[in-house]
Amino acid sequence: MYGAVMSADPQQVIEKIDSDELIKVTLDLANIDSPTGSEGPVADYVYDWLIREGFDARKVALYPDRPNVLATIPGESSGRSLCFNSHMDTTVHKDEWWTTRHAADPIFHAGWREDDVLVGNGVCNCKGPMATWLLAAKAIKDSGAKLKGDLLLMAVVGEIGLEPVDEFQPPDYIAKEAGTRYAITHGGVTDYALVSEGTDFGIVGVEAGKAFFKITVFGSDLTIYTPYIERPTPIEESPNAIVRMSKLIERIETWAYEYEQQNRYECTSGTVVPKVNFGAIRGGVPQKITKTVQQCAIYLDVRITPKQEPLDIREDLRRIMRDTGLDGEVELYVYRPGFEVDEKKGAPLREAIAHAHSSVVGGELQLGPVSTSSMWRDLNCFNEMRIPSYTYGPGASVGGGVFRMPIQNLIAGAQLYVHTALNLCNQERS
């Protein structure tokens, strides 16, 4: 082990964590609605809180109304430095009813307490985990504990991202470029990073990448007025591109299961099962539906492992198009590779997390659920930049529909991060 060198008794620091304040900060953050692109008010809250608590905070922004917020507890000598990272954006806009029928439901835009549980999408993803390290950092500072290396606090925008495509272009639509990646390339560099998100207190050191495809199917060169449509006609010969697309969707759905089975990726830092999702479909216009449609497009989210190449997937999709006898095109419009932590370089952080886990949760540190290593998280940005990083935090991922966070999990998270920082940041930097 790299050593649990502490300049202060962790328990004395933990006693500085005010659970009522932890709950308040979590709910304050959760009740500031911040779907991707509208993180400014949350950033202002985090910045103001840090300044009020005596931190030297700063805003680092690609877009002035969407700043990342950084603050540092400076180390006193040549110790290892650590970044705590969480994102401020949430997943659902109130008007996003074509993807979420009840998009304006308070569960997606607010937070509240029910007995010993905090409820809300934002509570779990990712404002509760963020509050845990904010309170952990405050406890370290208020206790007077000394760190040899820097502790960097990083609250970021755009982790969820809105990928530009078709008429949906920047600056209104932008993905990962404004968040963690921008913060790192503009001074947010440490020896290690701990991305605080829900992993059920399991550790994750690998994440999936993603390849997004726009697949267009062409119909007949003639548009046919509804009274002139002839049936029965084989689907692939229909003049209507929407009808033809149904055959391609069925074939891709079969391929998607084969794809995730064939490309499952296992390593000591986690398992990636790359999934496929039909995210959108476009064809025709609802105000004019009296003629067959000449083209229809689907938008496909294909997750990839750190070992895959996106052009191989594009060739698979082109082959499927040919095999179904359809005329069309396949466009790759997003490619974001996945990354795996350098386990040798990352060992000090992993062992510090394991030591904290044993002290607070008890037992041996386990890998996070496969779903948490099969998604995209900002872990990828750090590991791509050669900053060894792990994801580890309280609660489950909201991707599975869980919007409840036990308060005790938040308290445990704050305690875990105190242990981790005191351990790692007091090790000598080799």
Side-chain angles (χ1 to χ4, degrees):
M1 182 173 177
Y2 285 80
V5 181
M6 309 282 186
S7 65
D9 179 357
Q11 193 56 42
Q12 292 179 353
V13 178
I14 285 170
E15 288 173 359
K16 295 288 185 179
I17 298 172
D18 184 336
S19 59
D20 290 335
E21 184 179 12
L22 175 58
I23 293 167
K24 179 182 184 304
V25 171
T26 299
L27 292 180
D28 283 352
L29 291 168
N31 281 299
I32 304 172
D33 194 21
S34 58
T36 303
S38 302
E39 303 96 333
V42 172
D44 289 341
Y45 178 97
V46 174
Y47 177 84
D48 292 343
W49 185 91
L50 288 165
I51 293 295
R52 189 168 61 249
E53 296 300 334
F55 292 91
D56 184 13
R58 63 192 187 278
K59 294 181 178 180
V60 178
L62 178 60
Y63 298 109
D65 59 342
R66 299 179 60 201
N68 304 294
V69 181
L70 281 66
T72 303
I73 297 179
E76 297 193 332
S77 58
S78 56
R80 288 177 163 138
S81 57
L82 173 66
C83 173
F84 286 143
N85 167 283
S86 294
H87 62 89
M88 297 181 285
D89 55 329
T90 52
T91 54
V92 179
H93 288 68
K94 288 183 178 180
D95 61 356
E96 201 174 304
W97 41 271
W98 272 117
T99 64
T100 308
R101 283 176 54 203
H102 305 291
D105 192 308
I107 196 72
F108 299 115
H109 309 284
W112 59 91
R113 181 173 181 170
E114 294 179 1
D115 299 323
D116 294 329
V117 175
L118 301 186
V119 182
N121 176 64
V123 167
C124 300
N125 188 36
C126 185
K127 295 167 180 177
M130 181 186 301
T132 62
W133 53 255
L134 287 173
L135 270 293
K138 178 186 175 184
I140 291 171
K141 185 179 68 63
D142 290 351
S143 71
K146 305 302 181 184
L147 302 177
K148 292 182 180 180
D150 293 349
L151 178 62
L152 174 65
L153 313 177
M154 182 187 289
V156 299
V157 303
E159 189 269 353
I160 295 164
L162 300 171
E163 299 286 5
V165 64
D166 296 340
E167 70 269 30
F168 306 103
Q169 295 296 322
D172 292 333
Y173 300 90
I174 193 69
K176 316 298 183 184
E177 286 75 16
T180 293
R181 170 181 287 277
Y182 189 86
I184 295 171
T185 58
H186 292 80
V189 179
T190 50
D191 293 314
Y192 303 93
L194 192 161
V195 177
S196 177
E197 291 221 46
T199 63
D200 288 329
F201 295 126
I203 192 167
V204 174
V206 62
E207 294 281 358
K210 58 177 72 172
F212 288 179
F213 296 90
K214 177 183 178 181
I215 306 174
T216 306
V217 165
F218 303 134
S220 170
D221 289 339
L222 296 175
T223 55
I224 308 298
Y225 184 37
T226 301
Y228 291 90
I229 294 174
E230 295 185 2
R231 291 188 176 89
T233 301
I235 287 178
E236 66 273 14
E237 297 176 12
S238 170
N240 194 322
I242 296 175
V243 175
R244 293 187 185 186
M245 180 63 80
S246 66
K247 184 170 185 177
L248 186 63
I249 289 174
E250 183 178 26
R251 179 63 188 88
I252 291 176
E253 184 68 11
T254 300
W255 167 83
Y257 177 71
E258 300 166 353
Y259 169 84
E260 67 182 63
Q261 300 300 307
Q262 293 170 359
N263 292 288
R264 180 185 179 97
Y265 178 74
E266 297 184 10
C267 62
T268 56
S269 298
T271 297
V272 176
V273 178
K275 300 280 186 172
V276 178
N277 179 54
F278 295 95
I281 184 168
R282 305 181 84 181
V285 290
Q287 69 272 25
K288 189 177 181 181
I289 60 170
T290 58
K291 295 181 179 180
T292 57
V293 173
Q294 287 192 343
Q295 60 181 3
C296 178
I298 55 172
Y299 299 78
L300 200 66
D301 173 4
V302 182
R303 298 305 163 107
I304 59 177
T305 71
K307 301 298 184 183
Q308 285 182 272
E309 297 293 339
L311 296 184
D312 293 337
I313 300 166
R314 188 181 67 181
E315 290 308 306
D316 277 353
L317 295 171
R318 285 175 171 174
R319 174 184 52 78
I320 292 170
M321 177 88 75
R322 292 193 299 268
D323 290 349
T324 52
L326 298 174
D327 182 22
E329 57 189 24
V330 179
E331 174 192 351
L332 171 67
Y333 70 93
V334 166
Y335 168 49
R336 298 189 181 278
F339 290 89
E340 180 181 347
V341 67
D342 182 325
E343 293 180 356
K344 183 177 180 180
K345 289 178 62 178
L349 174 57
R350 182 176 184 131
E351 294 188 11
I353 294 172
H355 179 82
H357 185 93
S358 176
S359 299
V360 176
V361 178
E364 185 176 349
L365 179 64
Q366 303 293 325
L367 291 175
V370 171
S371 58
T372 60
S373 50
S374 299
M375 62 177 70
W376 171 282
R377 280 173 163 169
D378 277 344
L379 177 73
N380 274 332
C381 296
F382 288 104
N383 284 324
E384 179 183 9
M385 299 284 186
R386 303 198 302 273
I387 298 173
S389 178
Y390 289 95
T391 303
Y392 175 80
S397 168
V398 298
V402 177
F403 303 124
R404 301 173 66 84
M405 175 78 77
I407 292 171
Q408 187 53 49
N409 281 10
L410 291 174
I411 294 171
Q415 295 174 353
L416 285 157
Y417 297 149
V418 165
H419 275 276
T420 302
L422 292 179
N423 184 332
L424 189 72
C425 294
N426 280 307
Q427 297 178 25
E428 288 294 331
R429 186 174 187 272
S430 59

